[in-house]
Structure formats: C-alpha cells, structure tokens
Amino acid sequence: MLFQQIEQNKRKTILLMVGFFVLVLIIGGAVGYLNFSSARAGILLAAIVAVGYMGLTISNSTNIVMSLNNGKEITSKEQYPLLWNVVEELALISKVRMPKIYVIEDASPNAFATGNAPDKAAVAVTTGIMERLNREELEGVMAHELSHIRNYDIRLSTIALALTAVIALLANIGTRMLWFGGGGRRKNNKNDTGGLIFMVISLVLIILAPLAATLVQLALSRNREYLADASAVELTRNPQGLISALTKISDSPPMKKADPTSAALYIDNPFKKKKSSSLMDTHPSIEARIERLEEM
C-alpha cells in the first residue's frame, strides 16, 4: 500500500510538471501570435524567460523563502537540543545531508522545508510546534519535511513557483502590449476569419493562463503532501506520531506573519482557510491525510 501510493503520486507529479511546461510554451505562443505575428517568437521568448527566472529562483530559494517568513537560523545544538537531535537522526535515516535549521517566532504550530537540492536544503519550524508537540509528534513532522527534501519536492516546488510567476509575467506583457499599441496579428487579420478565431483563442489563453497555472501549482502542492506523508511513515515506521501531530496542527490558530506565496510549502495551510474543499486549496484536508495514514 505504502509503495503503491508513492509510485502513484510520482506519476501524477510528472504529468503535472509536463503540463506546467506546456502551459508556459502555449502562453508564450499566444503572446507572440497576438503581438509579433509569430507564435514561434513567443515560444522562444517564453523558454528564455522561464529558464532564466528558474535559475535565479533556484539559486537563491532558501534565502528568499526564509527572509519572507522571518526565519532565523540556529547554528548549534544547545539552542534547541530536541529539535536538533530529531533532525540529525532523521537525516541519517533518510540518507541526506543534515539541512540547515531555522526557527520562526510564531505561536501557531507549523513547519516547512525548502532549498534547491537535498545537499543544500533547510527546514523551518515555528516556536509553537516545539511548545505543543511531543518528541514522537515532532519526529512525524520532521520526517515529513525530510521526505520533501529526499524526494526532491523542494526543487519541484521552487520550479512550480517560478513557472507560475513566469506565466503571470508573460500574460502581463501580452496584455500591456495589446493595450499600448501592440497587436500586429490583430491588424493583419481584420478580414481573415481563421486569423480572427486564433486571435480570440490567444487572447483567452493570455487571460486565463495565470489562473490555470495557479491551479496546477496548487494541485502539485496537494499531491506532494500525500507523498511526503507516506514517505514519513516509511522513515519512522510510526503513522500515529504524524497523525497526532496533524491533529494538533490543524486545531490551532492561523500564523500571524506567514508569507502568502510560501503557504503551499508549509505542512498545513498557515492561514487555516478550510471552510470547504476546493481546487484553490494549498493542501489536502487534514481528514483525508489522516484517513490515508490510518490505512497504512
């Protein structure tokens, strides 16, 4: 059951990332068709912008995310001995380099992992998680975060975030060029029915692409949470620790200073918006995650 779930989630993730790249190229093609009379030029522009932006984001991901979430690095075991020991032990078990550890001053229990590769990763926990969770529960949470590192989820999340930003940027460029004198294809296709149809399709794509990209990013985030839960159990051989931790985390007030763009990284939505399940959720419901854990 455990390994079947891991493999199933990996396959879904590959499909989602392929969809992301295709969406970037499509929106680039739409921008090029409308403004330069050349879909190929737009696709080339999209590819260049995507590669460049991803490179910058990936190379600075830890510093950027920790700065946005007010994380402070701890550099010695004496500062938080229990947390340090748990992370050190789980890193050894999961066969990854021990990540840097950051602490966020916030009473709401939560945690996340980030970085551009397993050997350059970092984990962050709130002060609230150390106050409310016992060792067994803390092990479950940190095993979940180490699983994100081991499974390369941290790089995947960074790439998804970068591609979403690229799509929003391309859509913004496309609409601004149309408003301010662009639209070379529009001028050429006034009497061309086929051209007008493609022009309308391109315009719709530019308008809807940012929403579609966001939905794909959130679907990817939800998918990786299930995989990290399963992998955490593989590391600890104790689903009850994570079940109990998730219960406590969900039954807590929202964080006060979490960065909205980082919400999908946390083990649970830091803003606690859980009125109903929807495509805009950053995480699957705690109930659904606990149900899967209990089946293990």
Side-chain angles (χ1 to χ4, degrees):
M1 175 65 183
L2 172 61
F3 296 105
Q4 288 178 351
Q5 181 174 331
I6 291 174
E7 289 303 315
Q8 182 181 21
N9 279 313
K10 284 182 178 179
R11 287 193 296 270
K12 289 180 180 178
T13 298
I14 292 171
L15 292 175
L16 283 169
M17 289 310 300
V18 170
F20 243 127
F21 280 105
V22 170
L23 188 57
V24 168
L25 298 181
I26 288 175
I27 188 63
V31 171
Y33 184 83
L34 282 175
N35 294 285
F36 312 126
S37 299
S38 172
R40 289 184 179 180
I43 291 173
L44 180 61
L45 172 66
I48 293 172
V49 173
V51 171
Y53 195 88
M54 279 192 297
L56 289 173
T57 304
I58 290 173
S59 63
N60 296 287
S61 59
T62 298
N63 292 335
I64 293 172
V65 172
M66 292 304 174
S67 176
L68 290 172
N69 291 276
N70 302 302
K72 297 179 180 179
E73 185 180 0
I74 63 173
T75 56
S76 68
K77 183 176 181 179
E78 287 69 27
Q79 291 174 277
Y80 294 94
L82 176 59
L83 175 63
W84 189 284
N85 286 336
V86 168
V87 174
E88 190 173 43
E89 291 171 7
L90 288 169
L92 184 63
I93 295 171
S94 58
K95 298 180 181 179
V96 298
R97 180 183 295 180
M98 182 173 173
K100 293 181 179 180
I101 304 174
Y102 289 76
V103 172
I104 300 170
E105 291 286 341
D106 198 297
S108 179
N110 223 316
F112 68 84
T114 188
N116 58 22
D119 60 343
K120 297 180 181 179
V123 294
V125 300
T126 62
T127 50
I129 210 168
M130 290 181 287
E131 293 169 359
R132 293 198 60 183
L133 271 56
N134 59 35
R135 183 185 180 94
E136 180 185 38
E137 294 160 345
L138 184 61
E139 285 178 347
V141 170
M142 299 320 296
H144 174 100
E145 301 307 334
L146 265 292
S147 294
H148 277 313
I149 294 171
R150 186 182 66 164
N151 297 339
Y152 281 81
D153 292 347
I154 51 174
R155 177 180 291 178
L156 203 58
S157 298
T158 301
I159 292 173
L161 181 63
L163 289 175
T164 301
V166 167
I167 289 171
L169 176 63
L170 290 171
N172 189 43
I173 291 173
T175 52
R176 284 179 180 274
M177 290 183 70
L178 283 172
W179 278 107
F180 296 102
R185 174 63 66 176
R186 177 179 55 191
K187 297 173 184 176
N188 295 335
N189 286 332
K190 287 183 177 179
N191 300 315
D192 181 359
T193 303
L196 285 173
I197 292 174
F198 281 111
M199 185 183 73
V200 171
I201 293 173
S202 298
L203 186 60
V204 171
L205 284 171
I206 290 175
I207 294 172
L208 296 182
L211 175 60
T214 299
L215 292 176
V216 173
Q217 182 193 6
L218 294 175
L220 178 63
S221 173
R222 294 192 297 270
N223 189 62
R224 303 312 290 183
E225 290 305 308
Y226 282 131
L227 177 57
D229 285 346
S231 298
V233 174
E234 182 187 15
L235 292 177
T236 64
R237 303 295 177 180
N238 177 22
Q240 190 55 48
L242 183 54
I243 290 172
S244 179
L246 289 174
T247 301
K248 288 185 178 180
I249 291 171
S250 65
D251 185 24
S252 63
M255 290 181 64
K256 295 181 179 180
K257 297 181 180 180
D259 171 54
T261 61
S262 306
L265 296 178
Y266 283 87
I267 192 170
D268 187 36
N269 188 341
F271 304 109
K272 308 299 180 184
K273 295 178 181 179
K274 304 175 182 176
K275 293 182 180 180
S276 60
S277 178
S278 75
L279 292 175
M280 297 304 293
D281 289 339
T282 56
H283 296 70
S285 70
I286 291 294
E287 293 76 15
R289 292 168 68 180
I290 289 177
E291 183 179 352
R292 291 197 181 196
L293 287 168
E294 289 175 339
E295 291 176 356
M296 297 179 187

